[in-house]
Coordinates of all heavy atoms in Angstrom, one line a residue:
M1 N 2.9 -43.2 165.5 CA 3.4 -43.0 164.1 C 3.6 -44.3 163.4 O 3.4 -44.4 162.2 CB 4.7 -42.2 164.2 CG 4.6 -40.7 163.9 SD 3.2 -40.2 162.9 CE 3.8 -38.6 162.5
P2 N 4.2 -45.4 164.1 CA 4.4 -46.6 163.4 C 3.1 -47.2 162.7 O 3.2 -47.7 161.6 CB 4.9 -47.6 164.4 CG 5.5 -46.7 165.5 CD 4.6 -45.5 165.5
L3 N 2.0 -47.1 163.4 CA 0.7 -47.6 162.8 C 0.4 -46.7 161.5 O 0.0 -47.3 160.5 CB -0.4 -47.5 163.8 CG -1.8 -48.0 163.2 CD1 -1.7 -49.4 162.7 CD2 -2.8 -47.8 164.3
L4 N 0.5 -45.4 161.7 CA 0.2 -44.5 160.5 C 1.2 -44.9 159.3 O 0.7 -45.0 158.2 CB 0.4 -43.1 160.9 CG 0.2 -42.0 159.8 CD1 -1.2 -42.2 159.3 CD2 0.4 -40.6 160.3
N5 N 2.4 -45.1 159.6 CA 3.4 -45.4 158.5 C 3.0 -46.7 157.9 O 3.0 -46.9 156.7 CB 4.8 -45.6 159.1 CG 5.4 -44.2 159.4 OD1 5.0 -43.2 158.9 ND2 6.4 -44.2 160.2
W6 N 2.6 -47.7 158.7 CA 2.2 -49.0 158.2 C 0.9 -48.8 157.3 O 0.8 -49.4 156.2 CB 1.9 -50.0 159.3 CG 1.6 -51.4 158.8 CD1 2.5 -52.3 158.5 CD2 0.3 -51.9 158.5 NE1 1.8 -53.5 158.1 CE2 0.4 -53.2 158.1 CE3 -1.0 -51.4 158.6 CZ2 -0.6 -54.0 157.7 CZ3 -2.1 -52.2 158.2 CH2 -1.9 -53.5 157.8
L7 N 0.0 -48.1 157.8 CA -1.3 -47.8 157.0 C -1.0 -47.1 155.7 O -1.7 -47.4 154.7 CB -2.3 -47.0 157.8 CG -2.9 -47.7 159.0 CD1 -3.7 -46.8 159.9 CD2 -3.8 -48.9 158.5
I8 N 0.0 -46.3 155.6 CA 0.3 -45.6 154.4 C 1.1 -46.5 153.5 O 0.8 -46.6 152.3 CB 1.1 -44.3 154.7 CG1 0.2 -43.3 155.4 CG2 1.7 -43.7 153.4 CD1 0.9 -42.1 156.0
Y9 N 2.2 -47.1 154.0 CA 3.2 -47.8 153.1 C 2.8 -49.2 152.8 O 3.1 -49.7 151.7 CB 4.6 -47.7 153.7 CG 5.1 -46.3 153.7 CD1 5.2 -45.6 154.9 CD2 5.4 -45.6 152.6 CE1 5.7 -44.3 155.0 CE2 5.9 -44.3 152.6 CZ 6.0 -43.7 153.8 OH 6.5 -42.4 153.8
F10 N 2.2 -49.9 153.7 CA 2.0 -51.4 153.4 C 1.1 -51.6 152.2 O 1.4 -52.4 151.3 CB 1.4 -52.1 154.6 CG 1.2 -53.5 154.4 CD1 2.3 -54.4 154.4 CD2 -0.1 -54.0 154.1 CE1 2.1 -55.8 154.2 CE2 -0.3 -55.3 153.8 CZ 0.8 -56.2 153.8
P11 N 0.0 -50.9 152.1 CA -0.9 -51.1 150.9 C -0.2 -50.8 149.6 O -0.3 -51.5 148.6 CB -2.1 -50.2 151.1 CG -2.1 -49.9 152.6 CD -0.7 -49.9 153.0
V12 N 0.6 -49.8 149.6 CA 1.4 -49.4 148.4 C 2.4 -50.5 148.0 O 2.5 -51.0 146.9 CB 2.1 -48.0 148.5 CG1 3.0 -47.7 147.3 CG2 1.0 -46.9 148.7
E13 N 3.1 -50.9 149.1 CA 4.1 -52.0 148.9 C 3.5 -53.3 148.4 O 4.0 -54.0 147.5 CB 4.9 -52.2 150.2 CG 5.8 -51.1 150.5 CD 6.5 -51.2 151.9 OE1 6.1 -52.2 152.6 OE2 7.3 -50.4 152.2
W14 N 2.3 -53.6 149.0 CA 1.6 -54.8 148.7 C 1.2 -54.8 147.2 O 1.4 -55.7 146.5 CB 0.4 -55.0 149.6 CG -0.3 -56.2 149.4 CD1 0.0 -57.5 149.7 CD2 -1.6 -56.3 148.7 NE1 -1.0 -58.4 149.3 CE2 -1.9 -57.7 148.7 CE3 -2.4 -55.4 148.1 CZ2 -3.1 -58.2 148.1 CZ3 -3.6 -55.9 147.5 CH2 -3.9 -57.2 147.5
L15 N 0.6 -53.6 146.8 CA 0.2 -53.5 145.4 C 1.4 -53.6 144.4 O 1.3 -54.3 143.4 CB -0.6 -52.2 145.1 CG -2.0 -52.1 145.7 CD1 -2.5 -50.7 145.6 CD2 -2.9 -53.1 145.0
C16 N 2.5 -53.0 144.8 CA 3.7 -53.0 143.9 C 4.3 -54.4 143.8 O 5.0 -54.7 142.9 CB 4.7 -52.0 144.4 SG 4.1 -50.3 144.1
S17 N 4.1 -55.2 144.9 CA 4.7 -56.5 144.9 C 4.2 -57.4 143.8 O 4.8 -58.3 143.4 CB 4.4 -57.2 146.2 OG 3.1 -57.6 146.4
F18 N 3.0 -57.1 143.2 CA 2.4 -57.9 142.1 C 3.1 -57.5 140.8 O 2.9 -58.2 139.8 CB 0.9 -57.7 142.0 CG 0.2 -58.3 143.2 CD1 -0.3 -57.4 144.2 CD2 0.0 -59.6 143.3 CE1 -1.0 -58.0 145.2 CE2 -0.7 -60.2 144.3 CZ -1.2 -59.4 145.3
M19 N 3.9 -56.4 140.8 CA 4.5 -55.9 139.6 C 6.0 -56.3 139.5 O 6.7 -55.9 138.6 CB 4.4 -54.4 139.5 CG 3.0 -53.9 139.3 SD 2.9 -52.2 139.3 CE 1.7 -51.8 140.5
T20 N 6.5 -57.1 140.4 CA 7.9 -57.4 140.5 C 8.0 -58.9 140.6 O 7.1 -59.6 141.1 CB 8.6 -56.7 141.6 OG1 10.0 -57.0 141.5 CG2 8.1 -57.1 143.0
D21 N 9.2 -59.4 140.2 CA 9.5 -60.9 140.5 C 10.5 -61.1 141.6 O 10.7 -62.2 142.0 CB 9.9 -61.6 139.2 CG 11.1 -60.9 138.5 OD1 11.6 -59.9 139.1 OD2 11.5 -61.4 137.5
T22 N 11.1 -60.0 142.1 CA 12.1 -60.1 143.2 C 11.8 -59.0 144.1 O 11.7 -57.8 143.7 CB 13.5 -60.1 142.7 OG1 13.8 -61.1 141.7 CG2 14.5 -60.2 143.8
L23 N 11.8 -59.3 145.4 CA 11.6 -58.3 146.4 C 12.9 -58.2 147.3 O 13.4 -59.2 147.8 CB 10.4 -58.7 147.3 CG 10.0 -57.7 148.4 CD1 9.5 -56.4 147.8 CD2 9.0 -58.3 149.3
I24 N 13.3 -56.9 147.4 CA 14.5 -56.7 148.2 C 14.0 -56.0 149.5 O 13.3 -55.0 149.4 CB 15.5 -55.8 147.5 CG1 16.0 -56.5 146.2 CG2 16.7 -55.4 148.4 CD1 16.9 -55.6 145.3
T25 N 14.4 -56.6 150.7 CA 13.9 -56.0 151.9 C 15.1 -55.5 152.7 O 16.3 -55.8 152.5 CB 13.2 -57.1 152.8 OG1 14.1 -58.2 153.0 CG2 12.0 -57.7 152.0
I26 N 14.8 -54.6 153.7 CA 15.8 -54.1 154.6 C 15.7 -54.4 156.0 O 16.5 -53.9 156.8 CB 15.9 -52.5 154.4 CG1 14.6 -51.9 154.8 CG2 16.3 -52.2 153.0 CD1 14.7 -50.4 154.8
N27 N 14.7 -55.2 156.4 CA 14.6 -55.6 157.8 C 14.1 -57.0 157.9 O 13.5 -57.6 156.9 CB 13.8 -54.6 158.6 CG 12.3 -54.6 158.1 OD1 11.7 -55.6 158.0 ND2 11.8 -53.4 157.9
Q28 N 14.3 -57.6 159.0 CA 14.0 -59.1 159.2 C 12.5 -59.3 159.1 O 12.0 -60.3 158.6 CB 14.5 -59.6 160.6 CG 16.0 -59.8 160.5 CD 16.5 -60.7 159.4 OE1 17.1 -60.3 158.5 NE2 16.2 -62.0 159.6
E29 N 11.7 -58.4 159.6 CA 10.2 -58.5 159.6 C 9.7 -58.6 158.1 O 8.9 -59.6 157.8 CB 9.5 -57.4 160.3 CG 8.0 -57.4 160.3 CD 7.4 -56.2 160.9 OE1 8.1 -55.2 161.2 OE2 6.2 -56.2 161.1
D30 N 10.2 -57.7 157.3 CA 9.8 -57.8 155.9 C 10.3 -59.0 155.2 O 9.7 -59.6 154.3 CB 10.2 -56.5 155.2 CG 9.4 -55.3 155.6 OD1 8.4 -55.4 156.2 OD2 9.9 -54.2 155.3
Y31 N 11.6 -59.4 155.5 CA 12.2 -60.6 154.9 C 11.4 -61.8 155.3 O 11.2 -62.7 154.4 CB 13.6 -60.7 155.3 CG 14.4 -61.8 154.6 CD1 14.7 -61.7 153.3 CD2 14.8 -62.9 155.3 CE1 15.3 -62.7 152.6 CE2 15.5 -63.9 154.7 CZ 15.7 -63.8 153.3 OH 16.4 -64.8 152.7
A32 N 11.0 -62.0 156.5 CA 10.2 -63.1 156.9 C 8.9 -63.2 156.2 O 8.5 -64.3 155.7 CB 10.0 -63.1 158.4
F33 N 8.3 -62.0 156.0 CA 7.0 -62.0 155.2 C 7.3 -62.4 153.7 O 6.5 -63.1 153.2 CB 6.4 -60.6 155.3 CG 5.1 -60.4 154.6 CD1 3.9 -60.9 155.1 CD2 5.0 -59.9 153.3 CE1 2.7 -60.8 154.5 CE2 3.9 -59.7 152.6 CZ 2.7 -60.2 153.2
A34 N 8.4 -61.9 153.2 CA 8.7 -62.2 151.8 C 9.0 -63.6 151.6 O 8.6 -64.2 150.6 CB 9.9 -61.3 151.4
Q35 N 9.6 -64.3 152.6 CA 9.9 -65.7 152.5 C 8.6 -66.5 152.3 O 8.6 -67.5 151.6 CB 10.7 -66.2 153.7 CG 12.1 -65.8 153.7 CD 12.9 -66.3 154.9 OE1 12.4 -66.1 156.0 NE2 14.0 -67.0 154.7
K36 N 7.6 -66.1 153.0 CA 6.3 -66.8 152.9 C 5.6 -66.5 151.6 O 4.9 -67.4 151.1 CB 5.4 -66.4 154.1 CG 5.9 -66.8 155.4 CD 5.0 -66.2 156.5 CE 5.6 -66.3 157.9 NZ 4.9 -65.5 158.9
K37 N 5.7 -65.3 151.1 CA 4.8 -64.9 150.0 C 5.5 -64.8 148.6 O 4.8 -64.9 147.6 CB 4.2 -63.5 150.3 CG 3.4 -63.5 151.6 CD 2.2 -64.2 151.5 CE 1.4 -64.1 152.8 NZ 0.2 -64.9 152.8
M38 N 6.8 -64.7 148.6 CA 7.4 -64.5 147.3 C 8.4 -65.6 146.9 O 9.1 -66.1 147.8 CB 8.2 -63.1 147.3 CG 7.3 -62.0 147.6 SD 7.1 -60.6 146.4 CE 8.0 -60.9 145.0
K39 N 8.5 -65.9 145.7 CA 9.5 -66.9 145.3 C 10.9 -66.3 145.3 O 11.8 -67.0 145.8 CB 9.2 -67.3 143.8 CG 10.1 -68.5 143.3 CD 9.6 -69.0 142.0 CE 10.1 -68.1 140.9 NZ 9.9 -68.6 139.6
N40 N 11.1 -65.1 144.9 CA 12.5 -64.5 144.9 C 12.5 -63.4 145.9 O 11.6 -62.4 145.8 CB 12.8 -64.0 143.5 CG 13.0 -65.1 142.5 OD1 13.5 -66.2 142.9 ND2 12.7 -64.8 141.3
H41 N 13.3 -63.4 146.8 CA 13.5 -62.4 147.8 C 14.9 -62.2 148.2 O 15.7 -63.2 148.1 CB 12.6 -62.7 149.0 CG 12.7 -64.1 149.5 ND1 13.7 -64.5 150.3 CD2 11.9 -65.1 149.3 CE1 13.6 -65.8 150.5 NE2 12.5 -66.2 149.9
F42 N 15.3 -61.0 148.7 CA 16.7 -60.8 149.0 C 16.7 -59.7 150.1 O 15.9 -58.8 150.1 CB 17.4 -60.2 147.8 CG 18.9 -60.1 148.0 CD1 19.7 -61.2 148.0 CD2 19.4 -58.9 148.4 CE1 21.0 -61.1 148.2 CE2 20.7 -58.7 148.6 CZ 21.6 -59.8 148.5
N43 N 17.6 -59.9 151.1 CA 17.6 -59.0 152.3 C 18.9 -58.2 152.3 O 20.0 -58.8 152.1 CB 17.5 -59.8 153.5 CG 17.2 -59.0 154.8 OD1 16.5 -58.0 154.7 ND2 17.8 -59.3 155.9
I44 N 18.8 -56.9 152.5 CA 20.0 -56.1 152.8 C 20.2 -56.1 154.3 O 19.3 -55.8 155.1 CB 19.8 -54.7 152.3 CG1 19.6 -54.7 150.7 CG2 20.9 -53.8 152.7 CD1 19.2 -53.4 150.1
T45 N 21.4 -56.4 154.7 CA 21.7 -56.5 156.1 C 22.7 -55.4 156.5 O 23.2 -54.7 155.7 CB 22.4 -57.9 156.5 OG1 23.6 -58.0 155.7 CG2 21.4 -59.0 156.2
N46 N 22.9 -55.3 157.8 CA 23.9 -54.3 158.3 C 25.1 -55.0 158.9 O 25.0 -56.1 159.4 CB 23.2 -53.4 159.5 CG 22.2 -52.5 158.9 OD1 22.4 -52.0 157.8 ND2 21.2 -52.2 159.7
A47 N 26.2 -54.4 158.7 CA 27.5 -54.9 159.2 C 28.3 -53.7 159.7 O 28.2 -52.6 159.2 CB 28.3 -55.7 158.1
V48 N 29.2 -54.0 160.7 CA 30.1 -53.0 161.2 C 31.3 -53.0 160.3 O 32.0 -54.0 160.2 CB 30.4 -53.2 162.7 CG1 31.4 -52.1 163.2 CG2 29.1 -53.2 163.5
I49 N 31.6 -51.8 159.7 CA 32.7 -51.7 158.8 C 33.5 -50.4 159.3 O 32.9 -49.3 159.4 CB 32.3 -51.5 157.4 CG1 31.5 -52.7 156.9 CG2 33.6 -51.2 156.5 CD1 30.9 -52.5 155.5
N50 N 34.8 -50.6 159.7 CA 35.6 -49.5 160.3 C 34.9 -48.8 161.4 O 34.9 -47.6 161.5 CB 35.9 -48.5 159.2 CG 36.8 -49.1 158.1 OD1 37.6 -50.0 158.3 ND2 36.6 -48.6 156.9
G51 N 34.2 -49.6 162.3 CA 33.6 -49.1 163.5 C 32.2 -48.5 163.2 O 31.6 -47.9 164.1
E52 N 31.7 -48.5 162.0 CA 30.5 -47.9 161.7 C 29.5 -48.9 161.1 O 29.9 -49.7 160.2 CB 30.8 -46.8 160.6 CG 29.9 -45.6 160.7 CD 30.3 -44.5 159.7 OE1 31.4 -44.0 159.8 OE2 29.5 -44.2 158.8
E53 N 28.3 -48.8 161.5 CA 27.3 -49.7 160.9 C 26.8 -49.3 159.5 O 26.5 -48.1 159.4 CB 26.0 -49.8 161.8 CG 25.1 -51.0 161.5 CD 24.1 -51.3 162.5 OE1 24.4 -51.6 163.7 OE2 22.9 -51.1 162.2
Q54 N 26.9 -50.2 158.6 CA 26.6 -49.9 157.2 C 25.7 -50.9 156.6 O 25.8 -52.1 156.9 CB 27.9 -49.9 156.3 CG 28.9 -48.9 156.8 CD 28.5 -47.5 156.4 OE1 27.8 -47.3 155.4 NE2 29.0 -46.5 157.2
P55 N 24.8 -50.5 155.7 CA 24.0 -51.5 155.0 C 24.9 -52.3 154.0 O 25.7 -51.7 153.4 CB 22.9 -50.7 154.2 CG 23.5 -49.3 154.1 CD 24.4 -49.1 155.3
T56 N 24.8 -53.6 154.0 CA 25.6 -54.4 153.2 C 24.8 -55.4 152.3 O 23.7 -55.7 152.7 CB 26.6 -55.2 154.0 OG1 25.9 -56.0 154.9 CG2 27.6 -54.3 154.8
V57 N 25.4 -55.8 151.3 CA 24.8 -56.8 150.4 C 25.9 -57.7 149.8 O 27.0 -57.3 149.6 CB 24.0 -56.1 149.3 CG1 24.9 -55.3 148.4 CG2 23.2 -57.0 148.5
N58 N 25.6 -59.0 149.7 CA 26.4 -59.9 149.1 C 26.1 -59.8 147.6 O 25.0 -60.2 147.2 CB 26.2 -61.3 149.6 CG 27.1 -62.3 149.0 OD1 27.3 -62.3 147.7 ND2 27.7 -63.2 149.8
A59 N 27.0 -59.3 146.8 CA 26.7 -59.0 145.4 C 26.4 -60.3 144.6 O 25.5 -60.3 143.8 CB 27.9 -58.3 144.7
R60 N 27.1 -61.4 144.9 CA 26.8 -62.7 144.3 C 25.4 -63.2 144.6 O 24.7 -63.7 143.7 CB 27.8 -63.7 144.6 CG 27.8 -64.9 143.7 CD 29.0 -65.8 143.9 NE 30.3 -65.2 143.6 CZ 30.8 -65.2 142.3 NH1 30.1 -65.7 141.3 NH2 32.0 -64.7 142.1
E61 N 25.0 -63.0 145.9 CA 23.6 -63.4 146.2 C 22.6 -62.6 145.5 O 21.5 -63.0 145.1 CB 23.4 -63.4 147.7 CG 24.2 -64.5 148.5 CD 24.1 -64.4 150.0 OE1 23.3 -63.5 150.5 OE2 24.7 -65.2 150.7
L62 N 22.8 -61.3 145.5 CA 21.9 -60.3 144.8 C 21.8 -60.7 143.3 O 20.7 -60.8 142.8 CB 22.4 -58.9 144.9 CG 21.6 -57.8 144.2 CD1 20.1 -57.8 144.7 CD2 22.2 -56.5 144.4
W63 N 22.9 -61.0 142.7 CA 23.0 -61.4 141.3 C 22.1 -62.6 141.1 O 21.3 -62.7 140.1 CB 24.4 -61.6 140.9 CG 24.6 -62.3 139.6 CD1 24.6 -61.7 138.3 CD2 25.0 -63.6 139.3 NE1 24.9 -62.6 137.3 CE2 25.1 -63.8 137.9 CE3 25.2 -64.7 140.2 CZ2 25.5 -65.0 137.4 CZ3 25.6 -65.9 139.6 CH2 25.7 -66.1 138.2
A64 N 22.2 -63.6 142.0 CA 21.5 -64.8 141.8 C 20.0 -64.6 142.0 O 19.1 -65.1 141.3 CB 22.0 -65.9 142.8
A65 N 19.6 -63.7 143.0 CA 18.2 -63.4 143.3 C 17.6 -62.7 142.2 O 16.4 -62.9 141.9 CB 18.1 -62.6 144.6
L66 N 18.3 -61.9 141.5 CA 17.8 -61.1 140.4 C 17.6 -61.9 139.1 O 16.9 -61.5 138.2 CB 18.6 -59.8 140.1 CG 18.6 -58.8 141.2 CD1 19.6 -57.7 140.9 CD2 17.2 -58.2 141.4
G67 N 18.3 -63.1 139.1 CA 18.3 -63.9 137.9 C 18.8 -63.3 136.7 O 18.3 -63.4 135.6
V68 N 19.9 -62.6 136.8 CA 20.6 -61.9 135.7 C 21.1 -62.9 134.7 O 21.7 -64.0 135.1 CB 21.8 -61.0 136.2 CG1 22.5 -60.4 135.1 CG2 21.3 -60.0 137.2
G69 N 20.9 -62.7 133.5 CA 21.3 -63.6 132.4 C 22.7 -63.6 132.0 O 23.1 -64.3 131.1
R70 N 23.5 -62.8 132.7 CA 24.9 -62.6 132.3 C 25.8 -63.3 133.4 O 25.3 -63.5 134.5 CB 25.3 -61.1 132.2 CG 24.5 -60.4 131.2 CD 24.8 -58.9 131.3 NE 26.2 -58.6 131.1 CZ 26.8 -57.5 131.4 NH1 26.1 -56.5 132.0 NH2 28.1 -57.3 131.3
D71 N 27.0 -63.6 133.1 CA 27.9 -64.1 134.1 C 28.2 -63.0 135.1 O 28.2 -61.9 134.9 CB 29.2 -64.7 133.5 CG 30.1 -63.6 132.9 OD1 29.7 -63.1 131.8 OD2 31.1 -63.2 133.5
F72 N 28.5 -63.5 136.4 CA 28.6 -62.6 137.5 C 29.7 -61.6 137.3 O 29.6 -60.4 137.6 CB 28.8 -63.4 138.8 CG 29.1 -62.5 140.0 CD1 28.1 -61.8 140.6 CD2 30.4 -62.3 140.4 CE1 28.4 -60.9 141.7 CE2 30.7 -61.5 141.5 CZ 29.7 -60.8 142.1
S73 N 30.9 -62.0 136.8 CA 32.1 -61.1 136.8 C 31.8 -59.9 135.8 O 32.2 -58.8 136.2 CB 33.3 -61.9 136.3 OG 33.1 -62.4 135.0
N74 N 31.2 -60.1 134.7 CA 30.9 -59.0 133.8 C 29.8 -58.2 134.4 O 29.8 -56.9 134.2 CB 30.5 -59.5 132.4 CG 31.7 -60.0 131.7 OD1 32.8 -59.5 131.8 ND2 31.6 -61.1 131.0
W75 N 28.8 -58.8 135.0 CA 27.6 -58.0 135.5 C 28.1 -57.1 136.6 O 27.8 -55.9 136.6 CB 26.6 -59.0 136.1 CG 25.5 -58.3 136.8 CD1 24.4 -57.8 136.2 CD2 25.3 -58.2 138.2 NE1 23.5 -57.2 137.1 CE2 24.1 -57.5 138.4 CE3 26.0 -58.5 139.3 CZ2 23.6 -57.2 139.6 CZ3 25.5 -58.2 140.6 CH2 24.3 -57.5 140.7
I76 N 29.0 -57.6 137.6 CA 29.4 -56.7 138.7 C 30.3 -55.6 138.2 O 30.3 -54.5 138.7 CB 30.0 -57.6 139.8 CG1 30.2 -56.7 141.1 CG2 31.4 -58.1 139.4 CD1 28.9 -56.3 141.7
K77 N 31.2 -55.9 137.2 CA 32.1 -54.9 136.7 C 31.2 -53.7 136.1 O 31.5 -52.5 136.3 CB 33.0 -55.4 135.6 CG 34.1 -56.3 136.1 CD 34.9 -56.9 134.9 CE 35.7 -58.0 135.4 NZ 36.4 -58.7 134.3
D78 N 30.2 -54.0 135.4 CA 29.3 -53.0 134.8 C 28.6 -52.2 135.9 O 28.3 -51.0 135.7 CB 28.3 -53.6 133.8 CG 28.9 -54.1 132.5 OD1 30.1 -53.7 132.3 OD2 28.2 -54.8 131.8
R79 N 28.1 -52.9 136.9 CA 27.4 -52.2 138.0 C 28.3 -51.2 138.8 O 27.9 -50.2 139.2 CB 26.9 -53.2 139.1 CG 25.9 -54.3 138.6 CD 24.5 -53.8 138.2 NE 24.4 -53.0 137.0 CZ 24.5 -53.5 135.7 NH1 24.7 -54.7 135.5 NH2 24.3 -52.7 134.7
L80 N 29.6 -51.6 138.9 CA 30.5 -50.7 139.7 C 31.3 -49.7 138.9 O 32.1 -49.0 139.5 CB 31.5 -51.7 140.5 CG 30.8 -52.6 141.5 CD1 31.8 -53.5 142.1 CD2 30.0 -51.9 142.5
M81 N 31.1 -49.7 137.6 CA 31.9 -48.9 136.7 C 32.0 -47.4 137.1 O 33.0 -46.8 137.1 CB 31.4 -49.0 135.3 CG 32.2 -48.3 134.2 SD 31.5 -48.4 132.6 CE 31.0 -50.1 132.5
D82 N 30.9 -46.8 137.5 CA 30.8 -45.4 137.9 C 31.0 -45.1 139.4 O 30.8 -44.0 139.8 CB 29.5 -44.8 137.4 CG 29.3 -44.9 135.9 OD1 30.3 -44.8 135.2 OD2 28.2 -45.1 135.4
F83 N 31.4 -46.1 140.1 CA 31.6 -45.9 141.5 C 33.1 -46.0 141.9 O 33.9 -46.6 141.2 CB 30.8 -46.9 142.3 CG 29.3 -46.8 142.1 CD1 28.7 -47.6 141.2 CD2 28.6 -45.8 142.8 CE1 27.3 -47.4 141.0 CE2 27.3 -45.7 142.6 CZ 26.6 -46.5 141.7
E84 N 33.5 -45.5 143.1 CA 34.9 -45.5 143.5 C 35.0 -46.5 144.7 O 34.3 -46.4 145.7 CB 35.3 -44.1 144.0 CG 36.7 -44.0 144.4 CD 37.1 -42.6 144.8 OE1 36.5 -41.6 144.2 OE2 37.9 -42.5 145.7
E85 N 35.9 -47.5 144.5 CA 36.1 -48.4 145.6 C 36.7 -47.7 146.8 O 37.5 -46.9 146.7 CB 37.1 -49.5 145.1 CG 37.3 -50.6 146.1 CD 38.2 -51.8 145.7 OE1 38.6 -51.8 144.5 OE2 38.4 -52.7 146.5
G86 N 36.2 -48.1 147.9 CA 36.7 -47.5 149.2 C 35.7 -46.4 149.7 O 35.5 -46.3 150.9
S87 N 35.1 -45.7 148.8 CA 34.1 -44.7 149.3 C 32.7 -45.1 148.9 O 31.8 -44.8 149.7 CB 34.5 -43.3 148.7 OG 34.4 -43.3 147.3
D88 N 32.5 -45.7 147.8 CA 31.2 -46.1 147.4 C 30.9 -47.6 147.6 O 29.7 -48.0 147.8 CB 30.9 -45.8 145.9 CG 31.0 -44.4 145.5 OD1 30.4 -43.6 146.3 OD2 31.6 -44.0 144.5
Y89 N 31.9 -48.4 147.6 CA 31.7 -49.8 147.9 C 33.0 -50.4 148.4 O 34.1 -49.8 148.2 CB 31.3 -50.5 146.6 CG 32.3 -50.6 145.5 CD1 33.2 -51.7 145.4 CD2 32.4 -49.6 144.6 CE1 34.1 -51.7 144.4 CE2 33.3 -49.6 143.6 CZ 34.2 -50.7 143.5 OH 35.1 -50.7 142.5
L90 N 32.9 -51.6 149.0 CA 34.1 -52.3 149.5 C 34.0 -53.7 149.1 O 32.8 -54.3 149.0 CB 34.2 -52.3 151.0 CG 34.4 -50.9 151.7 CD1 34.2 -51.1 153.2 CD2 35.8 -50.4 151.4
F91 N 35.1 -54.4 148.8 CA 35.1 -55.8 148.6 C 35.5 -56.5 149.9 O 36.4 -56.0 150.5 CB 36.1 -56.2 147.5 CG 35.6 -55.9 146.1 CD1 36.2 -54.9 145.4 CD2 34.5 -56.6 145.6 CE1 35.7 -54.6 144.1 CE2 34.1 -56.3 144.3 CZ 34.7 -55.3 143.5
A92 N 34.8 -57.5 150.3 CA 35.2 -58.3 151.5 C 35.1 -59.8 151.2 O 34.2 -60.2 150.5 CB 34.2 -57.9 152.6
K93 N 36.1 -60.5 151.6 CA 36.1 -61.9 151.4 C 35.2 -62.5 152.5 O 35.3 -62.1 153.7 CB 37.5 -62.5 151.5 CG 38.3 -62.2 150.2 CD 39.5 -63.1 150.1 CE 40.1 -62.9 148.8 NZ 40.7 -64.0 148.3
I94 N 34.4 -63.5 152.2 CA 33.6 -64.1 153.1 C 34.0 -65.6 153.2 O 34.1 -66.3 152.2 CB 32.1 -64.0 152.7 CG1 31.7 -62.6 152.6 CG2 31.2 -64.8 153.7 CD1 30.3 -62.3 152.1
G95 N 34.2 -66.1 154.4 CA 34.6 -67.5 154.6 C 36.0 -67.8 154.6 O 36.9 -67.1 154.4

């Protein structure tokens, strides 16, 4: 099945990559490929939160990778407006 999945999805992903200026990946293999081929790339990683593995993203790094023309604080407030902290997203200090 992995070969079949690759044969189906890779050509579509490859064609779509010409229509975007930033590529967001979810695994190390795709991220390594993106580093070689794309100027802007961003990886979603997994972290253990409350004993459960969750996909995570550093919002400030995502904002930078997307090249948003607005300041970060206003951009993130607008993105999170319709979500509930604690169930839809968490804030974590890094460093």
Side-chain angles (χ1 to χ4, degrees):
M1 263 334 197
L3 178 60
L4 179 60
N5 287 341
W6 186 87
L7 289 171
I8 293 170
Y9 293 110
F10 182 80
V12 173
E13 291 172 351
W14 182 78
L15 287 171
C16 289
S17 72
F18 293 103
M19 297 178 227
T20 185
D21 56 359
T22 301
L23 182 64
I24 299 173
T25 61
I26 60 171
N27 63 51
Q28 287 303 109
E29 180 184 7
D30 290 346
Y31 186 69
F33 182 79
Q35 284 180 307
K36 295 178 195 169
K37 302 291 182 185
M38 304 238 2
K39 184 172 83 174
N40 294 327
H41 44 79
F42 188 79
N43 192 37
I44 296 174
T45 58
N46 287 328
V48 177
I49 301 171
N50 297 329
E52 213 175 299
E53 191 169 301
Q54 299 287 331
T56 60
V57 63
N58 180 317
R60 193 171 296 275
E61 289 177 5
L62 177 61
W63 170 78
L66 293 173
V68 177
R70 302 173 56 197
D71 66 285
F72 175 76
S73 61
N74 288 322
W75 176 80
I76 195 65
K77 286 177 197 172
D78 287 348
R79 301 288 71 75
L80 299 176
M81 187 182 315
D82 297 327
F83 297 99
E84 183 178 324
E85 185 176 356
S87 63
D88 296 318
Y89 67 92
L90 296 171
F91 284 112
K93 287 198 172 211
I94 300 173

